[in-house]
Each structure stands twice: as C-alpha cells, then as structure tokens.
Amino acid sequence: MWTNLDRPPLDVAALRRALVDGPQASWSRLDVVEQTGSTNADLIARADGLADRTALVAEHQDSGRGRHSRPFSGAPRSQILLSVLMKFPGIDPAVLGWLPLLTGVAVVDTLRTVAAVDTALKWPNDVLIEGRKVAGILAEVATYGPHPVVVVGIGLNVSMTTEELPVPTASSLVLENAVVTDRDTILRAMLRGIGAEVDSWKNSGWNTEHLAQRYRERCDTVGRRVRVEMPGDRVLVGEATDVDIHGRIVVRDDDTGQSVAVAAGDVTHLRALE
C-alpha cells in the first residue's frame, strides 16, 4: 500500500512551453502518461517514427527495470520516471557507451544546483547521496548501424518515504532534505542539462577525454576499495583507481597488483568495501 501524500501531477503544458515550444527549446517532443509498463520500452518500440530528442515521462511504471533487468518501481507521482530518445548520425559506435555516464553527470549537476543536495556517481551510472541511491540510469540502443538511436531512462526518487523505498540502501530527495522537491522544476532542469551535455559532446567531435575528466570529478567510486562481480562467478577485489577514456572502471587487483579495466557490460555487481 502506497503512502497517501500530496503528490501533484506534472504540468505537461508548462513543461512543453519551457522545453519544446519556448525560446530556450531544446527538445522536439515531450509526453507525459499516467501509467505504463516501461518508458524505455515504449520509446524503443516507436523509435523509427520518433524525432531526435523525444522525451517520455510516466507518473507510474509497473514494469520498470534497471541494469540486468532488475525491477524498478515506486508509488505513483513519487518519482521522476523519464526516458529520452536521441539520434547520433555519424558517431563512432565505440563511444556510445559514454551516453549513460554523460547523463549521470547531467543528473548530478542538476541535483547539486537545483535541489542543493550533495550527490555523486557510483560507477557506472547510479546517483548517490551520502552513499544512498537516489537515482539510476539505463541506456539501450534502439537502432544500430551508421545512424544509431539510443534511449536513456532515468528513475529519480523524489518524495518516496522510508516505507516506500525498495531497499534500505536507497533514498529520496525528500528524505535527504533537498531544498527543491518540485518535480516540474527538477525535470525541466534535468532535460535542459542533458541537452546541453549532448550538445557540448557533439561540438567536441565526440571527444571523450574531457568528458572522462568531468565524470571522474563526480565519481565517488574512484579511490575506494571495491568488489566487482562478473559473469561466471569471477570476482575482482581492489582499489578503483580511475575511469578511463572508454568509460571503464580501472581496479588495482589486490592479488596481483595489476590494473584491470572493466566495462559496465561485463559487471554484474559492484560495491564499495570501505
């Protein structure tokens, strides 16, 4: 049973005026639905007919999922459940893995600036406040080839109570005493931030060196001892020393002393040991 709180609906007309129709428009389309299974799945299913920079928001998801198909849900209107569809004609497919990390940078900067909470990134794409997860990011390729289309989903806990949290290690903006918890304000800033980050990346010729540095500055994983679990019961334990220009976490193995770079797709679970 969800907690009965005052959780107003998103103002889709105002959001469209600010993001789609206004002088600072940076998105081609924005829709808000009351309920769906998964906003990522909805955009992927319609990818061929949608314009670049289409955003879809749900007030509630009943089949949301994170990395490795882990379920992701919450009380209606207690979260921001956002998916964005973006097209990247001519991009080197090898750098597309940076898109969820870039999105993480935009989310962290939005929450630091707008909500005044001390957020950081847990590699590859969880957003934390004092070690507690407040948001997750999932990127999926909808169309491969020379004109790839990618859908990025973001789930941000806004007004969830302690009883509503999925796990004890999660949190919400309300529980962390955020200065701003209005979903319209945060969503508007988040979409503008994502758009600006992608524009900057494109203008750099899809260069990842500067992006990697900005990610490192916001990444709480670097400098910690971690346990990395991989398929086939493989485990790597050591200090996370870097995030390289390919977006991989670099871990100095406790057993061998060698540095090992691991890609997000090869990791089942990563947790800090200290």
Side-chain angles (χ1 to χ4, degrees):
M1 181 66 66
W2 305 120
T3 304
N4 183 20
L5 298 174
D6 179 22
R7 290 167 169 159
L10 292 165
D11 187 341
V12 63
L15 289 168
R16 284 174 175 158
R17 285 195 299 271
L19 297 163
V20 179
D21 304 320
Q24 299 183 49
S26 55
W27 291 85
S28 61
R29 177 173 176 175
L30 184 147
D31 294 313
V32 177
V33 297
E34 190 64 31
Q35 180 168 333
T36 190
S38 162
T39 51
N40 262 32
D42 290 349
L43 289 186
I44 289 171
R46 299 158 52 204
D48 290 345
L50 293 174
D52 178 32
R53 297 207 181 184
T54 293
L56 175 64
V57 189
E59 296 284 27
H60 180 56
Q61 280 188 155
D62 52 29
S63 301
R65 64 195 190 283
R67 294 182 68 240
H68 303 291
S69 298
R70 298 181 182 115
F72 183 87
S73 63
R77 300 178 182 172
S78 68
Q79 302 166 298
I80 291 176
L81 302 168
L82 164 69
S83 291
V84 296
L85 179 146
M86 293 178 282
K87 301 186 176 183
F88 296 91
I91 195 173
D92 179 357
V95 304
L96 277 177
W98 267 103
L99 192 54
L101 281 70
L102 173 152
T103 304
V105 169
V107 173
V108 163
D109 286 358
T110 295
L111 295 180
R112 287 180 177 180
T113 303
V114 176
V117 285
D118 187 14
T119 49
L121 289 162
K122 174 190 171 186
W123 183 90
N125 45 22
D126 286 345
V127 180
L128 310 179
I129 301 176
E130 297 295 329
R132 295 175 290 276
K133 182 175 176 179
V134 73
I137 298 163
L138 175 68
E140 299 178 273
V141 178
T143 304
Y144 291 88
H147 302 283
V149 179
V150 183
V151 172
V152 182
I154 304 162
L156 170 65
N157 300 334
V158 178
S159 65
M160 294 178 78
T161 65
T162 301
E163 294 75 21
E164 292 171 334
L165 295 173
V167 292
T169 53
S171 192
S172 71
L173 295 183
V174 165
L175 291 174
E176 299 296 337
N177 300 311
V179 171
V180 172
T181 57
D182 177 72
R183 292 188 304 144
D184 289 87
T185 301
I186 295 168
L187 177 59
R188 188 166 57 245
M190 191 182 301
L191 281 169
R192 283 178 173 157
I194 294 169
E197 289 289 347
V198 173
D199 286 342
S200 177
W201 191 29
K202 180 179 180 180
N203 291 338
S204 75
W206 311 115
N207 183 280
T208 60
E209 292 186 13
H210 180 61
L211 182 54
Q213 181 57 37
R214 297 182 68 241
Y215 181 89
R216 292 183 197 109
E217 292 168 354
R218 294 157 179 79
C219 183
D220 185 64
T221 307
V222 174
R224 294 183 180 272
R225 288 190 69 251
V226 296
R227 175 185 171 91
V228 184
E229 299 174 9
M230 294 169 282
D233 295 326
R234 292 179 298 150
V235 175
L236 172 64
V237 177
E239 182 186 355
T241 59
D242 196 11
V243 174
D244 69 15
I245 62 170
H246 303 291
R248 301 175 299 184
I249 192 75
V250 180
V251 179
R252 185 185 297 116
D253 191 331
D254 280 353
D255 292 333
T256 67
Q258 300 296 311
S259 292
V260 181
V262 186
D266 297 328
V267 174
T268 305
H269 183 67
L270 180 147
R271 66 181 177 91
L273 299 177
E274 56 186 36

